[in-house]
């Protein structure tokens, strides 16, 4: 079902643009984290299962890059897909001081990928809405503490947003 969903969405968005660079970004919040492990917790068993579902959902899109923050929960969410594709999880650090620059840094990295490529970005409930809003210039509903299944899909043509979807996986 998930493979069908992503395949249908990719078909809807179309493939590489004939007139310029085209990319697709998939943005998700990290999976469920342990509550008793301080500021850098690992995923729970439920979170590890969700990371496997993410792999199954996005593997047909064949991302060319996988990005995560410096926190274990984002990297562990991204790792199953990265392993399946033979890619590293590229860490791009974020902090409250870097928050204003973070959407632009991600956008530059994604737009530097080959034409037609897609990328996965794994972030946090307090960073993803801001990234999507910065790119799309449209308001994004906040992500609640217990919400781990939202998947934002953003289509970029010549590094400008040409469409976006707020999905579930």
């Amino acid at each position: 079902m998930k493979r069908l969903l992503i395949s249908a969405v990719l078909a809807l968005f179309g493939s590489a643009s004939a007139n310029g660079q085209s990319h697709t970004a998939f943005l998700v919040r990290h999976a469920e984290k342990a509550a008793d492990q301080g500021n850098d917790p690992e995923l729970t068993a439920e979170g590890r299962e969700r990371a496997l579902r993410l792999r199954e959902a996005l593997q047909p899109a064949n991302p060319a890059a996988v990005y995560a923050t410096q926190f274990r929960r984002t990297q562990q969410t991204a790792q199953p897909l990265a392993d399946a594709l033979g890619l590293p999880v590229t860490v791009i650090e974020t902090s409250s001081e870097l928050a204003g620059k973070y959407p632009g840094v991600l956008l530059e990295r994604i737009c530097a990928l080959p034409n037609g490529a897609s990328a996965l970005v794994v972030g946090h409930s307090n960073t993803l809405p801001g990234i999507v809003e910065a790119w799309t210039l449209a308001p994004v509903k906040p992500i609640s503490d217990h919400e781990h299944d939202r998947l934002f899909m953003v289509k970029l043509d010549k590094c400008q947003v040409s469409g976006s979807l707020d999905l579930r996986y």
Side-chain angles (χ1 to χ4, degrees), residues 38-118:
N39 290 335
D40 193 15
E42 294 190 2
L43 296 182
T44 62
E46 184 180 7
R48 289 189 297 276
E49 285 297 318
R50 184 174 305 282
L52 294 175
R53 288 194 301 274
L54 179 64
R55 177 193 66 198
E56 293 305 311
L58 292 185
Q59 197 167 356
N62 196 29
V66 177
Y67 302 108
T69 68
Q70 68 270 26
F71 298 100
R72 291 188 294 184
R73 59 192 176 269
T74 62
Q75 295 168 41
Q76 291 172 349
T77 301
Q79 198 66 59
L81 179 63
D83 288 348
L85 299 171
L87 297 171
V89 174
T90 301
V91 174
I92 302 177
E93 291 197 25
T94 189
S95 65
S96 56
E97 296 82 26
L98 298 173
K101 295 180 181 182
Y102 196 68
V105 169
L106 286 169
L107 191 62
E108 285 178 17
R109 292 280 186 108
I110 294 166
C111 291
L113 295 172
N115 188 31
S118 65

Side-chain angles (χ1 to χ4, degrees), residues 10 13-17 20-26 58 60-67 85 87 106-121 135 153-159:
L10 286 172
F13 270 174
S15 57
S17 170
Q21 289 287 90
S22 177
H23 301 91
T24 303
F26 299 98
L58 292 185
N62 196 29
V66 177
Y67 302 108
L85 299 171
L87 297 171
L106 286 169
L107 191 62
E108 285 178 17
R109 292 280 186 108
I110 294 166
C111 291
L113 295 172
N115 188 31
S118 65
L120 169 65
V121 175
W135 292 359
M153 184 174 174
V154 179
K155 180 71 173 169
L156 302 163
D157 288 314
K158 296 181 183 175
C159 215

Side-chain angles (χ1 to χ4, degrees), residues 108-151:
E108 285 178 17
R109 292 280 186 108
I110 294 166
C111 291
L113 295 172
N115 188 31
S118 65
L120 169 65
V121 175
V122 182
H124 305 270
S125 63
N126 63 342
T127 61
L128 289 179
I131 294 166
V132 176
E133 284 181 1
W135 292 359
T136 64
L137 304 177
V140 174
K141 180 183 163 198
I143 299 173
S144 74
D145 286 343
H146 302 291
E147 197 173 17
H148 294 87
D149 63 345
R150 292 221 359 235
L151 184 149

